[in-house]
mmCIF file with all atom_site columns, all heavy atoms in Angstrom:
data_model
loop_
_atom_site.group_PDB
_atom_site.id
_atom_site.type_symbol
_atom_site.label_atom_id
_atom_site.label_alt_id
_atom_site.label_comp_id
_atom_site.label_asym_id
_atom_site.label_entity_id
_atom_site.label_seq_id
_atom_site.pdbx_PDB_ins_code
_atom_site.Cartn_x
_atom_site.Cartn_y
_atom_site.Cartn_z
_atom_site.occupancy
_atom_site.B_iso_or_equiv
_atom_site.pdbx_formal_charge
_atom_site.auth_seq_id
_atom_site.auth_comp_id
_atom_site.auth_asym_id
_atom_site.auth_atom_id
_atom_site.pdbx_PDB_model_num
ATOM 1  N N   . ASP A 1 62 ? 244.811 29.743 149.729 1.00 97.00 ? 62 ASP A N   1
ATOM 2  C CA  . ASP A 1 62 ? 244.313 30.330 150.993 1.00 97.00 ? 62 ASP A CA  1
ATOM 3  C C   . ASP A 1 62 ? 244.888 29.593 152.210 1.00 97.00 ? 62 ASP A C   1
ATOM 4  O O   . ASP A 1 62 ? 244.541 28.376 152.277 1.00 97.00 ? 62 ASP A O   1
ATOM 5  C CB  . ASP A 1 62 ? 242.804 30.372 150.922 1.00 97.00 ? 62 ASP A CB  1
ATOM 6  C CG  . ASP A 1 62 ? 242.316 30.962 152.077 1.00 97.00 ? 62 ASP A CG  1
ATOM 7  O OD1 . ASP A 1 62 ? 242.847 31.949 152.747 1.00 97.00 ? 62 ASP A OD1 1
ATOM 8  O OD2 . ASP A 1 62 ? 240.988 30.516 152.569 1.00 97.00 ? 62 ASP A OD2 1
ATOM 9  N N   . GLY A 1 63 ? 245.525 30.335 152.965 1.00 96.00 ? 63 GLY A N   1
ATOM 10 C CA  . GLY A 1 63 ? 246.120 29.644 154.176 1.00 96.00 ? 63 GLY A CA  1
ATOM 11 C C   . GLY A 1 63 ? 247.497 28.809 154.009 1.00 96.00 ? 63 GLY A C   1
ATOM 12 O O   . GLY A 1 63 ? 247.963 28.373 154.933 1.00 96.00 ? 63 GLY A O   1
ATOM 13 N N   . VAL A 1 64 ? 247.932 28.877 152.726 1.00 98.00 ? 64 VAL A N   1
ATOM 14 C CA  . VAL A 1 64 ? 249.204 28.248 152.389 1.00 98.00 ? 64 VAL A CA  1
ATOM 15 C C   . VAL A 1 64 ? 250.335 29.193 152.567 1.00 98.00 ? 64 VAL A C   1
ATOM 16 O O   . VAL A 1 64 ? 250.133 30.378 151.885 1.00 98.00 ? 64 VAL A O   1
ATOM 17 C CB  . VAL A 1 64 ? 249.235 27.581 150.986 1.00 98.00 ? 64 VAL A CB  1
ATOM 18 C CG1 . VAL A 1 64 ? 250.628 27.078 150.565 1.00 98.00 ? 64 VAL A CG1 1
ATOM 19 C CG2 . VAL A 1 64 ? 248.104 26.443 150.993 1.00 98.00 ? 64 VAL A CG2 1
ATOM 20 N N   . GLU A 1 65 ? 251.499 28.962 153.120 1.00 98.00 ? 65 GLU A N   1
ATOM 21 C CA  . GLU A 1 65 ? 252.490 29.805 153.120 1.00 98.00 ? 65 GLU A CA  1
ATOM 22 C C   . GLU A 1 65 ? 253.352 29.609 151.860 1.00 98.00 ? 65 GLU A C   1
ATOM 23 O O   . GLU A 1 65 ? 253.758 28.448 151.414 1.00 98.00 ? 65 GLU A O   1
ATOM 24 C CB  . GLU A 1 65 ? 253.483 29.500 154.350 1.00 98.00 ? 65 GLU A CB  1
ATOM 25 C CG  . GLU A 1 65 ? 254.788 30.261 154.448 1.00 98.00 ? 65 GLU A CG  1
ATOM 26 C CD  . GLU A 1 65 ? 255.734 29.895 155.447 1.00 98.00 ? 65 GLU A CD  1
ATOM 27 O OE1 . GLU A 1 65 ? 255.735 28.677 155.848 1.00 98.00 ? 65 GLU A OE1 1
ATOM 28 O OE2 . GLU A 1 65 ? 256.596 30.737 155.844 1.00 98.00 ? 65 GLU A OE2 1
ATOM 29 N N   . VAL A 1 66 ? 253.461 30.617 151.027 1.00 98.00 ? 66 VAL A N   1
ATOM 30 C CA  . VAL A 1 66 ? 254.227 30.624 149.789 1.00 98.00 ? 66 VAL A CA  1
ATOM 31 C C   . VAL A 1 66 ? 255.485 31.322 149.843 1.00 98.00 ? 66 VAL A C   1
ATOM 32 O O   . VAL A 1 66 ? 255.688 32.492 150.298 1.00 98.00 ? 66 VAL A O   1
ATOM 33 C CB  . VAL A 1 66 ? 253.360 31.150 148.645 1.00 98.00 ? 66 VAL A CB  1
ATOM 34 C CG1 . VAL A 1 66 ? 254.112 31.143 147.379 1.00 98.00 ? 66 VAL A CG1 1
ATOM 35 C CG2 . VAL A 1 66 ? 252.082 30.405 148.616 1.00 98.00 ? 66 VAL A CG2 1
ATOM 36 N N   . LEU A 1 67 ? 256.662 30.690 149.481 1.00 98.00 ? 67 LEU A N   1
ATOM 37 C CA  . LEU A 1 67 ? 257.986 31.237 149.437 1.00 98.00 ? 67 LEU A CA  1
ATOM 38 C C   . LEU A 1 67 ? 258.566 31.164 148.100 1.00 98.00 ? 67 LEU A C   1
ATOM 39 O O   . LEU A 1 67 ? 258.401 30.077 147.463 1.00 98.00 ? 67 LEU A O   1
ATOM 40 C CB  . LEU A 1 67 ? 258.916 30.540 150.370 1.00 98.00 ? 67 LEU A CB  1
ATOM 41 C CG  . LEU A 1 67 ? 258.449 30.477 151.913 1.00 98.00 ? 67 LEU A CG  1
ATOM 42 C CD1 . LEU A 1 67 ? 259.426 29.574 152.761 1.00 98.00 ? 67 LEU A CD1 1
ATOM 43 C CD2 . LEU A 1 67 ? 258.329 31.947 152.537 1.00 98.00 ? 67 LEU A CD2 1
#
Side-chain angles (χ1 to χ4, degrees):
D62 180 28
V64 173
E65 179 187 21
V66 178
L67 304 175

